[in-house]
């Protein structure tokens, strides 16, 4: 069984939806140690899983930045895009998964291969967390507070069992937190919804 690794850039207040300018896909400055970690993580997996919107964002940016290690990696790695509307991904090494998202990811985990990394893709992230399909969570916590936007999990969802397996602080102020998921996620009814 392949592992599904969730990697997200996140603010201190838990937002993964980027509404402000706290994240730059091609950062400048003293980010060598952060880039080394991203390269190490990329080398340890052989597939990237994306929702349609994130896939289109990546496709519009990274093929023009293959001189950067992230762009070169994404150009070469096997990419899976979950989409019921896309037919031609128009990016090499890309496969469209057009069925039920949770079932597609569950099936993908049973195929031969190494680790699969899911990044961005907020709707898909929420779905696979709720379905208990995530094996490890890697959070790159940026020193920013956004105050609005979607978070790591959907409303009324939970991750009851997380075990911290690593931390690292980078010169830029970004902190990596790594967790193993020790119990499945799931949805829970709130008191306001239980009467429906």
């Amino acid at each position: 069984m392949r592992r599904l690794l969730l990697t997200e850039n996140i603010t201190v207040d838990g937002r993964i939806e980027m509404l402000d300018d706290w994240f730059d896909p091609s950062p400048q400055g003293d980010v060598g140690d952060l880039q080394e970690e991203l390269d190490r993580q990329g080398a340890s997996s052989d597939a990237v899983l994306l929702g349609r919107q994130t896939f289109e964002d990546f496709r519009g940016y990274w093929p023009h930045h293959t001189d950067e290690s992230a762009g070169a990696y994404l150009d070469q790695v096997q990419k899976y895009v979950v989409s019921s509307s896309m037919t031609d991904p128009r990016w090499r090494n890309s496969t469209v998964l057009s069925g039920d998202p949770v079932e597609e990811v569950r099936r993908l985990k049973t195929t031969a291969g190494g680790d699969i990394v899911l990044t961005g893709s907020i709707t898909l992230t929420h779905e696979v967390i709720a379905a208990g399909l995530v094996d490890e969570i890697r959070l790159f916590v940026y020193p920013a507070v956004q105050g609005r936007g979607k978070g790591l999990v959907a409303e009324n969802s939970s991750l009851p069992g997380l075990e911290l397996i690593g931390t690292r602080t980078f010169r830029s102020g970004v902190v990596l937190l790594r967790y193993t998921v020790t119990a499945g996620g799931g949805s829970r009814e709130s008191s306001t919804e239980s009467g429906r």
Side-chain angles (χ1 to χ4, degrees), residues 59-92:
R59 184 182 64 196
Y61 184 85
W62 287 115
H64 308 291
H65 293 83
T66 54
D67 56 323
E68 298 177 43
S69 58
Y73 166 74
L74 286 168
D75 193 51
Q76 297 294 325
V77 73
Q78 178 62 49
K79 295 168 285 294
Y80 296 95
V81 54
V82 175
S83 174
S84 60
S85 60
M86 181 180 291
T87 55
D88 181 3
R90 294 180 296 137
W91 193 4
R92 71 182 187 145

Side-chain angles (χ1 to χ4, degrees), residues 154-158 186-196:
E155 291 293 322
N156 302 313
S157 292
S158 63
S187 298
R188 60 181 179 196
E189 284 190 332
S190 70
S191 58
T192 59
E193 293 180 333
S194 60
R196 285 195 227 169

Side-chain angles (χ1 to χ4, degrees), residues 4 11 35 37 41 51 65 105 107 117 120 144 149 165 178 192:
L4 180 61
T11 61
Q35 190 58 57
E37 176 63 23
Q41 288 188 16
H65 293 83
V105 174
R107 184 195 57 74
V117 174
I165 57 172
R178 292 181 55 221
T192 59

